[in-house]
Amino acid sequence: MAGIAVSATINGDSVEYLCQPDETLLDVLRDRLGLTGAKEGCGTGDCGACSVILDNRLVCSCLVLGAEAEGRRVETVEGMAHGDKLHPLQQKFLEHAALQCGICTPGFLIAAKDLLAKNPDPTEEEIRFGLAGNLCRCTGYDKIVRAVQDAATVMKGA
């Protein structure tokens, strides 16, 4: 069966791919484009492990069809670092040990990036609310919240 031709901007790069009508953006990113940062945790949009930013909006890529990315801009965790220089959020997640198994980490990083883009000086409550769509079974949430708070401080000074 012939696929649907899609042209999109992914992490700042123009990308073209073919996908099936029922193929999710998550599957396209992972299986067709080799961007394996986003994870499938639930397949129903409940866990946030597959979070990406689509045209400045945080979405669960397991709920978006790959064809829906036509002409749109997608940001994944792979686009956060610049070469060997980690994004402040990535650096602070490491410093605060805000990760364990790593399944949820890319989704949390993308959700935190989206939050800080919209609110560069969030309160703890705003961080917890902004990350409420992301679930972690390993760390609890305090280290993640502290990492986001610390990254926000660093990013304001940059």
Side-chain angles (χ1 to χ4, degrees), residues 95-116:
E95 290 175 15
H96 287 269
L99 61 139
Q100 284 186 18
C101 80
I103 296 294
C104 67
T105 305
F108 269 106
L109 286 167
I110 286 292
K113 181 179 187 231
D114 181 66
L115 169 68
L116 295 181

Side-chain angles (χ1 to χ4, degrees), residues 67-116:
E68 291 180 279
E70 171 61 37
R72 299 174 81 182
R73 195 174 74 248
V74 180
E75 297 175 58
T76 72
V77 71
E78 288 89 349
M80 287 182 69
H82 295 286
D84 290 340
K85 183 165 175 46
L86 294 178
H87 186 281
L89 280 163
Q90 293 170 310
Q91 186 62 47
K92 295 304 177 183
F93 266 58
L94 288 172
E95 290 175 15
H96 287 269
L99 61 139
Q100 284 186 18
C101 80
I103 296 294
C104 67
T105 305
F108 269 106
L109 286 167
I110 286 292
K113 181 179 187 231
D114 181 66
L115 169 68
L116 295 181

Side-chain angles (χ1 to χ4, degrees), residues 5-90:
V6 177
S7 296
T9 302
I10 301 179
N11 297 326
D13 296 325
S14 295
V15 175
E16 294 181 355
Y17 58 85
L18 292 174
C19 65
Q20 296 304 309
D22 61 348
E23 193 171 5
T24 66
L25 180 57
L26 175 62
D27 289 337
V28 166
L29 291 170
R30 292 182 60 79
D31 301 337
R32 296 192 183 274
L33 302 178
L35 299 172
T36 58
K39 308 288 189 258
E40 182 168 1
C42 67
T44 58
D46 294 318
C47 74
C50 67
S51 296
V52 299
I53 299 171
L54 181 64
D55 288 341
N56 296 317
R57 183 170 165 236
L58 186 67
V59 299
C60 291
S61 61
C62 72
L63 299 179
V64 176
L65 294 174
E68 291 180 279
E70 171 61 37
R72 299 174 81 182
R73 195 174 74 248
V74 180
E75 297 175 58
T76 72
V77 71
E78 288 89 349
M80 287 182 69
H82 295 286
D84 290 340
K85 183 165 175 46
L86 294 178
H87 186 281
L89 280 163
Q90 293 170 310

Side-chain angles (χ1 to χ4, degrees), residues 87-148:
H87 186 281
L89 280 163
Q90 293 170 310
Q91 186 62 47
K92 295 304 177 183
F93 266 58
L94 288 172
E95 290 175 15
H96 287 269
L99 61 139
Q100 284 186 18
C101 80
I103 296 294
C104 67
T105 305
F108 269 106
L109 286 167
I110 286 292
K113 181 179 187 231
D114 181 66
L115 169 68
L116 295 181
K118 294 173 178 153
N119 181 358
D121 191 21
T123 64
E124 179 178 337
E125 182 178 357
E126 290 168 329
I127 292 170
R128 289 183 183 277
F129 184 79
L131 301 179
N134 296 76
L135 303 178
C136 175
R137 297 179 185 173
C138 300
T139 64
Y141 298 91
D142 288 334
K143 292 179 180 181
I144 294 168
V145 170
R146 302 293 168 250
V148 175

